[in-house]
């Protein structure tokens, strides 16, 4: 009985010692954690003092990274950027042209905006800014001479008449072997000068160094594309007539009437139906008559006794019934 009591007391003592030891470790870990947090906070605050007179991390102004810079250093960088500034224009045919900052009178304008940005920033938020940056435009810090800019734009090769290719609309055409088809529009290469000047001005004001005229939608666009609903409807309406092929036989010779001839006769009315041009049909019939009519015309005939004689009278030969042919083509 005595041994059981002693064993019970010993177990309780061991458990108490373990609890005390565990509490000591927890206390120690807490102290260490508090000290580490305090040290980290102290370091963080000390670093934040650096940003009282400099720009926060991950800050860009006019495309220039200004993290940790003073206002004077940022101004110096902007001046350097302007001194060597050049805008590259990427054109549709792969060509490139350049506009030099000096040629357009590009110069810095410091109106207190940098000071305002620096004043509004909270130096204690430098850690957050390191994760999520901020970018400011430079349009309020640079200017160019408008007259010089107009001259620089006017001198661009892409605006010269020999370089300009106007866009072409998609259209319906007859393709031999394929029938009536829609011919795809041609984008051309014709910049809209006002649009070009506007986008170049924006790029220069932001100190961008390269822009694509295609991406900035500077070029004229075709008015009708191959997917235009009206063009698709026109193709279907004209297809009934234009895909017809008629072969006329004149003895050993023949004449083929197909969409290449028929299509120019066709147009669309206000209700979306195909209309045949009568004058076109009549001109075609007259052309056939001139080519193949032989009745009442002088003819050469080889006689059975040898010589070739000319017969100037008689109705023998081919004679196209023009009126009937016109009616047939009209149908």
């Amino acid at each position: 009985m005595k041994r059981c009591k002693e064993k019970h007391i010993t177990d309780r003592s061991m458990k108490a010692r373990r609890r005390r030891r565990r509490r000591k470790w927890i206390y120690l870990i807490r102290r260490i954690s508090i000290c580490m947090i305090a040290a980290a906070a102290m370091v963080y605050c000390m670093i934040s003092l650096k940003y009282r007179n400099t720009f926060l991390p991950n800050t860009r102004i006019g495309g220039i990274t200004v993290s940790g810079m003073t206002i004077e250093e940022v101004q110096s960088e902007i001046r350097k950027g302007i001194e060597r500034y050049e805008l590259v224009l990427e054109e549709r045919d792969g060509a490139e042209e350049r506009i030099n900052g000096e040629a357009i009178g590009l110069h810095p304008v410091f109106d207190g905006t940098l000071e305002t940005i620096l004043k509004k920033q909270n130096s204690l938020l430098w850690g957050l800014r390191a994760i999520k940056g901020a970018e400011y435009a430079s349009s309020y810090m640079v200017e160019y001479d408008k007259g010089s800019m107009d001259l620089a734009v006017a001198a661009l090769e892409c605006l010269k008449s020999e370089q300009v290719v106007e866009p072409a609309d998609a259209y319906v055409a007859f393709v031999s072997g394929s029938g009536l088809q829609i011919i795809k529009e041609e984008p051309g290469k014709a910049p809209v000068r006002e649009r070009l000047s506007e986008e170049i001005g924006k790029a220069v004001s932001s100190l961008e160094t390269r822009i694509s005229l295609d991406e900035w939608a500077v070029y004229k666009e075709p008015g009708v594309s191959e997917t235009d609903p009206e063009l698709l409807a026109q193709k279907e309406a004209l297809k009934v007539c234009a895909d017809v092929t008629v072969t006329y036989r004149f003895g050993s010779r023949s004449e083929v009437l197909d969409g290449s001839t028929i299509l120019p006769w066709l147009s669309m009315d206000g209700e979306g139906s195909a209309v045949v041009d009568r004058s076109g049909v009549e001109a075609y019939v007259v052309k056939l008559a001139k080519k193949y009519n032989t009745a009442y015309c002088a003819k050469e005939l080889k006689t059975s006794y040898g010589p070739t004689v000319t017969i100037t009278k008689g109705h023998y030969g081919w004679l196209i019934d023009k009126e009937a042919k016109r009616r047939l083509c009209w149908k």
Side-chain angles (χ1 to χ4, degrees):
M1 186 71 175
K2 184 178 181 180
R3 288 181 180 177
C4 291
K5 287 182 179 179
E6 290 176 353
K7 184 177 180 182
H8 181 66
I9 293 171
T10 302
D11 290 343
R12 285 169 56 188
S13 299
M14 291 178 64
K15 288 179 180 179
R17 283 197 296 271
R18 289 194 193 102
R19 283 195 295 270
R20 287 195 296 272
R21 197 178 300 122
R22 190 179 300 115
R23 283 196 294 268
K24 286 181 180 179
W25 275 109
I26 292 173
Y27 177 75
L28 181 60
I29 291 171
R30 284 177 178 172
R31 292 291 299 273
I32 293 173
S33 298
I34 291 171
C35 290
M36 291 178 65
I37 292 171
M42 186 177 297
V43 171
Y44 186 93
C45 290
M46 290 177 65
I47 293 175
S48 70
L49 294 176
K50 170 188 173 182
Y51 294 109
R52 292 177 65 184
N53 299 309
T54 62
F55 290 94
L56 294 177
N58 211 2
T59 300
R60 289 172 62 84
I61 299 177
I64 302 172
T65 300
V66 298
S67 305
M69 290 185 181
T70 64
I71 290 175
E72 292 74 20
E73 289 171 335
V74 173
Q75 290 176 343
S76 176
E77 285 298 309
I78 291 175
R79 288 191 184 95
K80 290 177 184 177
I82 290 175
E83 287 172 4
R84 56 177 181 265
Y85 179 76
E86 186 178 66
L87 176 64
V88 178
L89 308 177
E90 298 176 358
E91 296 170 6
R92 181 166 279 175
D93 57 0
E96 290 185 351
E97 295 192 67
R98 288 167 167 76
I99 292 181
N100 186 274
E102 185 178 358
I104 58 175
L106 190 65
H107 59 278
V109 176
F110 301 122
D111 57 358
T113 304
L114 290 175
E115 289 80 358
T116 300
I117 294 173
L118 187 63
K119 185 177 180 180
K120 286 184 176 180
Q121 73 178 18
N122 187 341
S123 60
L124 289 174
L125 299 179
W126 68 266
L128 180 61
R129 178 64 64 81
I131 299 171
K132 184 180 180 180
E135 185 157 357
Y136 303 89
S138 62
S139 56
Y140 41 72
M141 291 186 292
V142 295
E143 285 184 357
Y144 56 83
D145 180 69
K146 192 175 186 308
S148 300
M149 173 66 87
D150 290 341
L151 291 174
V153 172
L156 291 172
E157 290 290 324
C158 64
L159 289 175
K160 294 184 176 178
S161 57
E162 59 269 22
Q163 297 292 332
V164 172
V165 179
E166 293 292 335
D169 292 346
Y171 62 96
V172 176
F174 182 82
V175 179
S176 180
S178 301
L180 204 63
Q181 300 292 321
I182 291 179
I183 307 302
K184 183 179 174 63
E185 70 276 9
E186 293 291 338
K189 192 178 60 172
V192 179
R193 180 166 175 170
E194 294 76 14
R195 176 74 173 155
L196 179 61
S197 296
E198 179 185 350
E199 295 305 333
I200 289 176
K202 289 179 182 177
V204 171
S205 295
S206 299
L207 292 181
E208 292 186 53
T209 57
R210 181 176 290 267
I211 62 171
S212 166
L213 301 193
D214 252 331
E215 292 179 4
W216 287 76
V218 166
Y219 292 104
K220 291 181 184 178
E221 295 294 334
V224 180
S225 71
E226 63 179 335
T227 58
D228 185 271
E230 291 187 12
L231 188 64
L232 294 172
Q234 179 186 0
K235 177 191 173 185
E236 291 306 310
L238 300 181
K239 189 176 180 65
V240 177
C241 300
D243 277 354
V244 170
T245 301
V246 180
T247 303
Y248 299 107
R249 301 195 182 280
F250 302 89
S252 61
R253 295 185 297 171
S254 62
E255 192 80 21
V256 176
L257 173 64
D258 61 15
S260 60
T261 303
I262 297 173
L263 187 58
W265 303 344
L266 304 177
S267 60
M268 302 290 292
D269 63 15
E271 297 178 357
S273 300
V275 178
V276 181
D277 176 23
R278 183 183 293 271
S279 62
V281 174
E282 292 175 347
Y284 176 74
V285 173
V286 170
K287 180 180 176 183
L288 284 183
K290 288 181 178 179
K291 185 175 180 180
Y292 292 105
N293 279 1
T294 56
Y296 303 103
C297 297
K299 308 175 191 62
E300 291 186 344
L301 180 65
K302 185 174 178 61
T303 64
S304 58
Y305 50 87
T308 299
V309 297
T310 299
I311 302 173
T312 58
K313 293 182 179 182
H315 61 269
Y316 176 77
W318 295 104
L319 181 63
I320 294 177
D321 184 344
K322 295 180 183 178
E323 188 57 37
K325 182 65 68 178
R326 279 194 290 267
R327 289 196 300 270
L328 179 61
C329 290
W330 184 256
K331 291 178 182 180

